[in-house]
């Protein structure tokens, strides 16, 4: 093992010891009594089985040596990624019946699309939806009818929310079931060019719409490497998916058979099978470190600097940004998938995908092999990929070499010696940046700032021609407590245009950038956030800021006495109103700082110490 990976893992284990021990004790207590439904009163049990579609299922549920599997799904047919889940429950139930087990649809969780809500009021519900999904998962599993669970979810906040909820029922064996990406549309370079031309007024709205419709054109996950597809890589390398299953397209025979096998496999992990393997045993400190390695090796979504600490916390594990940055410093970038390159996830999968990544990272000592997965002990099982032989699912060893090193490379010929995730710190607070798609000449920017209270103000200033110069955009009052921490993805085309015109530009914000953030340097998730009295609230137009991704510096160059004498700017008066945002006021007030996951649950989980 690489000494840095060992060092970070050991300190994570030590830091987490009190909360992890308490968590495992809770899970052991929950698991101690055998099938929970066996302890239910007769009326309770009758309610639990009344809706079963067949007398056979009802009879099986009366037998405690038969497994009952909860299906928790994020299905809706408005999200392309989740539309295929409409058919999964029937496929799963049929596979379970063939095994002598039962599946019950335990509950649905909300699933919103960040792609639809980008730049809209609804985006301010996005991060909060993760907490709602976690709560909905807990409600679904609270009936104590189940011996195992299948989690059906893919996109941005959905998988982390399912993880948080499922981990509070970590005594249950659990498999996450992906749905797969849509087939490839127009090239990503073409899509980005149309977006940028539209931002400059050189393309019509009709041209933009045609381009977008050709990009996002059918069922399945969007094919760029944003948060949704980073979720898939993270889940697979944590051993929570079946090997090689993340990027198999929906509505294919292989996808359907992988779904059936996920159902079969989760029954093999139950107490009834004699091979009990609960979720709390699969998710431990080593698998959390593996998730960070996966994030860094692929140049994955910066949203995971919120999500991984949040779901780690749900397992009693205290991950910090510094842990993540220290791992990133020694984990090379192995993949170039849009926005870090021009390929999409279908190309990534075709050239070797996750199985090849696992192989080369294991050989380099950058992943813990001695972890539990849903297939048992040992991550080396995840160097295999699935195939159909005469309709039967088999796994074969994945490729020993990448089939296209412009997309995916081995460790010894990596695109970069580091993962590109760094902590920024200084008198403006503490944040993160991702430089895997930022050219070296753009990684240090020192310039006067222009302060905005939302991304609409920046767009208006761009269109008015006020930003034709070197400057650092500060977009504040975008943190979790202020307005729910929406993504600021709509800033990317404007700032990208200015950078292409030769100006030095950067972004500093207490909000989020998209998982698809790219070539413009950005200090994001800055905390303390402005509404909590963080330093961003003191900034004024014209203050010179230095963003230095090379040294990790985030600093305003203002005389100390003047700086300390300034009052904080007032927050906008209309924060959190309209589009249902007012319903989430209680949750925003409870959100933890970004480094602790921007989670409403952090304080309650820390009380387990």
């Amino acid at each position: 093992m690489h000494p840095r990976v060992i060092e970070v893992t050991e300190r994570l284990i030590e830091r987490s010891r009190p909360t992890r021990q308490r968590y495992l004790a809770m899970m052991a207590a929950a698991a101690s009594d055998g099938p929970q439904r066996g302890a239910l009163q007769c009326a309770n049990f009758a309610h639990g089985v009344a809706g079963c579609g067949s007398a056979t299922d009802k009879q099986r549920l009366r037998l405690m040596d038969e497994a009952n599997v909860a299906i928790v799904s994020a299905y809706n047919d408005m999200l392309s990624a989740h539309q295929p889940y409409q058919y999964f429950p029937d496929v799963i139930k049929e596979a379970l019946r063939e095994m002598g087990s039962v599946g019950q649809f335990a509950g649905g969780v909300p699933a919103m699309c960040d792609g639809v809500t980008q730049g809209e009021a609804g985006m301010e519900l996005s991060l909060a939806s993760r907490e709602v999904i976690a709560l909905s998962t807990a409600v679904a599993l609270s009936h104590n009818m189940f011996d195992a669970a299948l989690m059906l979810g893919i996109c941005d906040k959905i998988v982390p929310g399912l993880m948080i909820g499922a981990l509070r029922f970590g005594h249950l064996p659990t498999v996450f079931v992906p749905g797969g990406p849509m087939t490839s549309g127009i090239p990503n370079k073409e899509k980005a060019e149309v977006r940028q031309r539209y931002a400059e007024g050189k393309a019509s709205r009709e041209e933009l719409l045609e381009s977008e419709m050709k990009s996002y054109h059918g069922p399945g996950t969007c094919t760029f490497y944003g948060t949704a597809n980073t979720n898939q890589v993270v889940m697979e390398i944590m051993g929570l998916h079946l090997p090689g299953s993340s990027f198999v397209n929906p509505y294919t025979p292989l996808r359907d058979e992988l779904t059936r096998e996920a159902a079969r496999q989760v029954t093999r992990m139950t107490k009834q099978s004699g091979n009990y393997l609960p979720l709390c045993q699969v998710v431990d400190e080593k698998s959390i470190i593996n998730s960070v390695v996966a994030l860094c090796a692929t140049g994955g979504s910066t949203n995971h600097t919120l999500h991984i600490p949040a779901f780690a916390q749900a397992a009693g594990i205290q991950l910090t940004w510094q842990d993540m940055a220290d791992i990133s410093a020694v984990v090379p970038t192995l993949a170039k998938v849009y926005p870090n390159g021009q390929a999409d996830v279908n190309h990534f999968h075709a050239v070797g995908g996750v199985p090849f990544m696992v192989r080369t990272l294991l050989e380099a000592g950058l992943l813990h092999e001695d972890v539990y997965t849903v297939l048992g002990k040992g991550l080396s099982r995840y160097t295999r990929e699935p195939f159909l032989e005469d309709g039967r699912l088999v796994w074969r060893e994945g490729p020993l070499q990448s089939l296209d090193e412009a997309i995916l490379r081995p460790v010894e010929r990596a695109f970069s010696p580091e993962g590109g995730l760094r902590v920024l710190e200084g008198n403006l607070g503490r944040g993160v940046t991702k430089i895997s798609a930022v050219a070296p000449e753009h990684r240090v920017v020192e310039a006067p700032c222009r302060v905005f209270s939302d991304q609409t103000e920046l767009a208006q200033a761009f269109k008015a021609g006020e930003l034709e110069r070197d400057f650092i955009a500060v977009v504040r009052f975008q943190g979790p407590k202020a307005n729910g921490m929406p993504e600021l993805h709509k800033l990317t085309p404007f700032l990208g245009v200015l950078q292409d015109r030769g100006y030095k530009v950067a972004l500093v914000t207490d909000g989020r950038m998209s998982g698809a953030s790219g070539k413009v340097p950005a200090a994001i998730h800055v905390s303390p956030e402005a509404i909590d009295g963080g330093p961003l609230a003191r900034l004024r137009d014209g203050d010179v800021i230095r963003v230095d991704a090379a040294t990790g510096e985030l600093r305003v160059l203002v005389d100390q006495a003047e700086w300390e004498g300034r009052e904080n700017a007032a927050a906008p008066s209309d924060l959190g109103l309209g589009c249902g945002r007012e319903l989430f006021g209680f949750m925003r007030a409870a959100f933890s700082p970004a480094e602790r996951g921007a989670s409403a649950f952090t304080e309650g989980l820390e009380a387990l110490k």
Side-chain angles (χ1 to χ4, degrees):
M1 287 293 297
H2 192 288
R4 176 65 62 80
V5 177
I6 293 173
E7 173 199 337
V8 176
T9 305
E10 288 178 348
R11 78 185 187 213
L12 179 61
I13 291 170
E14 185 58 35
R15 183 189 310 124
S16 306
R17 197 174 302 279
T19 45
R20 179 66 176 171
Q21 288 178 348
R22 175 62 177 148
Y23 170 75
L24 291 175
M26 289 176 63
M27 297 304 106
S32 63
D33 299 326
Q36 300 276 346
R37 68 183 185 279
L40 292 177
Q41 298 293 323
C42 292
N44 302 61
F45 180 82
H47 277 291
V49 303
C52 284
S54 72
T56 302
D57 284 353
K58 286 186 179 181
Q59 182 58 33
R60 281 176 172 165
L61 289 177
R62 296 178 69 176
L63 305 173
M64 295 305 114
D65 59 351
E66 304 288 357
N68 186 25
V69 178
I71 303 168
V72 180
S73 175
Y75 161 72
N76 67 47
D77 63 10
M78 190 274 296
L79 270 74
S80 62
H82 292 75
Q83 186 269 354
Y85 283 142
Q86 178 178 357
Y87 306 100
F88 279 36
D90 287 343
V91 171
I92 288 166
K93 289 178 183 181
E94 169 106 17
L96 289 171
R97 288 189 186 106
E98 292 171 0
M99 296 280 288
S101 299
V102 177
Q104 289 187 294
F105 192 95
V109 304
M112 65 178 291
C113 181
D114 289 5
V116 174
T117 57
Q118 285 287 355
E120 304 294 328
M123 172 51 79
E124 295 184 13
L125 306 185
S126 176
L127 185 58
S129 77
R130 183 191 66 188
E131 317 302 91
V132 176
I133 291 161
L135 294 171
S136 301
T137 303
V139 170
L141 298 177
S142 67
H143 298 94
N144 284 340
M145 286 284 296
F146 308 111
D147 306 293
L150 293 171
M151 298 288 145
L152 280 57
I154 292 180
C155 286
D156 296 21
K157 314 308 167 300
I158 299 157
V159 166
L162 289 169
M163 277 282 284
I164 293 168
L167 281 164
R168 303 317 297 173
F169 292 79
H171 62 288
L172 295 176
T174 302
V175 175
F176 281 69
V177 184
M182 67 178 70
T183 55
S184 298
I186 64 171
N188 287 306
K189 184 176 182 181
E190 182 180 334
K191 175 181 69 177
E193 286 174 349
V194 174
R195 284 180 175 177
Q196 195 149 307
R197 287 195 298 111
Y198 179 75
E200 295 180 272
K202 297 177 180 177
S204 69
R205 187 172 184 85
E206 288 73 22
E207 289 177 276
L208 177 65
L209 180 59
E210 182 181 6
S211 170
E212 298 294 345
M213 294 289 280
K214 288 179 179 178
S215 301
Y216 310 115
H217 62 89
T221 318
C222 303
T223 59
F224 64 86
Y225 194 57
T227 308
N229 287 316
T230 304
N231 280 339
Q232 305 316 294
V233 172
V234 165
M235 290 294 102
E236 188 167 332
I237 288 186
M238 289 184 73
L240 294 169
H241 283 175
L242 294 179
S245 65
S246 294
F247 299 123
V248 175
N249 301 120
Y251 297 108
T252 61
L254 180 56
R255 175 86 276 158
D256 291 344
E257 191 56 31
L258 284 165
T259 301
R260 294 186 188 97
E261 182 62 16
R264 293 188 284 258
Q265 183 58 31
V266 83
T267 66
R268 300 181 188 118
M269 300 162 64
T270 60
K271 285 188 174 182
Q272 289 91 334
S273 75
N275 296 299
Y276 179 54
L277 182 56
L279 179 63
C280 64
Q281 196 169 345
V282 176
V283 179
D284 65 5
E285 294 90 341
K286 289 183 178 180
S287 71
I288 290 293
I289 291 297
N290 283 353
S291 77
V292 178
V293 172
L295 173 69
C296 297
T298 54
S301 168
T302 53
N303 283 325
H304 283 78
T305 62
L306 305 174
H307 297 325
I308 297 177
F311 66 66
Q313 182 85 233
I317 299 168
Q318 310 295 329
L319 184 73
T320 69
W321 282 348
Q322 195 58 57
D323 295 333
M324 300 179 81
D326 288 348
I327 290 292
S328 181
V330 299
V331 173
T333 300
L334 304 182
K336 286 285 188 183
V337 185
Y338 186 81
N340 299 340
Q342 295 308 317
D344 68 19
V345 295
N346 290 310
H347 305 135
F348 168 78
H349 182 67
V351 302
V354 177
F356 176 79
M357 273 190 52
V358 172
R359 180 185 303 280
T360 190
L361 289 167
L362 281 174
E363 290 172 351
L366 292 167
L367 285 172
H368 291 285
E369 201 281 332
D370 59 333
V371 292
Y372 282 99
T373 75
V374 297
L375 293 185
K377 191 69 175 285
L379 189 61
S380 56
R381 300 165 187 259
Y382 281 71
T383 62
R384 299 180 300 169
E385 55 185 3
F387 294 89
L388 292 178
E389 282 185 0
D390 299 323
R392 185 172 62 91
L393 183 64
V394 298
W395 270 271
R396 303 174 190 154
E397 279 300 318
L400 301 179
Q401 300 176 356
S402 168
L403 301 184
D404 186 345
E405 291 197 2
I407 300 170
L408 180 62
R409 293 185 180 181
V411 168
E412 58 269 21
R413 292 188 295 280
F415 291 103
S416 167
E418 62 162 311
L421 181 66
R422 297 183 183 181
V423 175
L424 296 175
E425 196 165 15
N427 61 3
L428 285 178
R430 184 173 166 89
V432 295
T433 190
K434 184 179 86 171
I435 61 168
S436 49
V438 179
E441 63 269 22
H442 296 310
R443 293 177 183 176
V444 180
V445 179
E446 183 177 308
C449 73
R450 177 76 183 268
V451 182
F452 305 96
S453 292
D454 62 45
Q455 56 186 333
T456 302
E457 290 181 1
L458 188 148
Q460 291 170 345
F462 174 87
K463 291 170 183 175
E466 299 171 7
L467 304 180
E468 303 285 329
R469 53 188 172 85
D470 293 353
F471 81 108
I472 291 178
V474 175
V475 186
R476 64 190 179 192
F477 300 112
Q478 304 298 304
K481 287 189 176 181
N483 64 351
M485 210 179 192
E487 287 185 345
L488 306 177
H489 182 44
K490 289 219 165 184
L491 300 178
T492 302
F494 302 117
L495 296 175
V497 165
L498 294 167
Q499 186 182 81
D500 289 349
R501 290 177 182 171
Y503 299 113
K504 285 272 194 179
V505 293
L507 173 68
V508 175
T509 182
D510 48 9
R512 296 185 290 132
M513 272 306 273
S514 169
S517 55
K519 64 185 183 181
V520 175
I524 60 175
H525 307 174
V526 175
S527 59
E529 61 176 291
I531 206 166
D532 257 354
L536 294 189
R538 297 188 206 172
L539 285 170
R540 305 289 183 265
D541 284 346
D543 289 343
V544 176
I545 293 175
R546 182 173 177 83
V547 177
D548 189 335
T551 64
E553 184 179 17
L554 176 61
R555 185 170 299 278
V556 60
L557 307 179
V558 173
D559 176 76
Q560 186 69 17
E562 179 190 344
W563 181 247
E564 291 177 356
R566 285 186 185 177
E567 293 185 1
N568 290 340
S573 59
D574 60 347
L575 285 176
L577 298 177
C579 199
R581 288 174 286 181
E582 55 277 7
L583 299 177
F584 291 80
F586 77 98
M587 190 176 286
R588 290 193 297 272
F591 274 139
S592 63
E595 186 163 7
R596 293 163 67 199
S599 174
F601 307 133
T602 300
E603 296 301 328
L605 295 174
E606 285 206 339
L608 296 175
K609 287 182 180 178

